[in-house]
Amino acid sequence: MEEIPDLMKKSHYKIEKLLNEFGKDNSLFNKFKWELEKHLFIEEKAIFIFYNPKDSEDFDTIPNLIQEHRKMEKLLSEIENNLRIKKTIDVSELLKLLVKHRKFEDGTLYPKLNRELDEAKKNIIIERINENFID
């Protein structure tokens, strides 16, 4: 069975790949939007709820990540509006935020959760991830 970091890295890779492809082909926007929205939903509803920081320096981790999610959603909405009015699309700000977000989660958060969560919680998260990432 794959672990949380493996599953989420796959999702991050897929999202970044779709964003890069969308940057060249606007017809891929809805697919990109769907994958990003699923990813954010899974993080907030299936993963973040299990994060219980033990160090005071980690207390802001989840609120900061959720704040980044809101920023991604805002940028996504702006891109969608620009597509509607046939305005030039610039995905660079969203890509920069996605890469920063991914590096922290893949390098720090998910490995930490994988170490600290008991098997029952990990299994619940993995089940929820798999339910939502079915292609």
Side-chain angles (χ1 to χ4, degrees):
M1 179 189 286
E2 289 184 286
E3 295 190 343
I4 297 166
D6 303 320
L7 293 167
M8 297 310 289
K9 282 179 185 179
K10 282 182 183 178
S11 176
H12 285 145
Y13 171 77
K14 185 175 188 177
I15 290 166
E16 283 182 35
K17 183 176 184 248
L18 281 169
L19 181 56
N20 283 316
E21 290 172 0
F22 159 66
K24 299 171 195 154
D25 180 357
N26 290 353
S27 70
L28 297 171
F29 177 75
N30 288 332
K31 185 171 182 161
F32 164 71
K33 180 181 176 190
W34 175 246
E35 290 301 325
L36 179 58
E37 288 175 340
K38 279 194 314 186
H39 181 87
L40 300 179
F41 174 83
I42 288 167
E43 285 186 340
E44 291 180 19
K45 304 298 183 192
I47 299 174
F48 292 173
I49 61 172
F50 289 104
Y51 183 69
N52 187 14
K54 293 172 178 52
D55 302 322
S56 60
E57 65 191 38
D58 292 336
F59 285 135
D60 290 336
T61 298
I62 299 305
N64 289 340
L65 291 172
I66 291 173
Q67 185 176 8
E68 287 181 1
H69 286 182
R70 298 298 83 83
K71 175 78 172 170
M72 286 178 213
E73 290 168 342
K74 181 178 183 285
L75 292 169
L76 193 62
S77 179
E78 289 171 8
I79 290 169
E80 189 169 33
N81 288 335
N82 286 340
L83 277 171
R84 248 187 237 113
I85 61 173
K86 301 196 185 313
K87 192 174 177 183
T88 304
I89 307 301
D90 180 9
V91 299
S92 61
E93 187 177 355
L94 181 54
L95 180 60
K96 182 179 171 183
L97 181 57
L98 281 170
V99 169
K100 174 185 172 272
H101 193 80
R102 171 188 49 83
K103 285 181 178 179
F104 174 76
E105 288 178 342
D106 291 350
T108 304
L109 181 66
Y110 293 131
K112 186 174 193 168
L113 283 175
N114 209 49
R115 285 189 310 272
E116 294 180 0
L117 292 176
D118 62 47
E119 288 303 311
K121 287 179 181 173
K122 282 196 261 189
N123 288 335
I124 291 169
I125 291 171
I126 290 167
E127 182 180 313
R128 290 178 181 176
I129 291 170
N130 286 325
E131 285 173 359
N132 286 284
F133 281 157
I134 296 172
D135 286 324

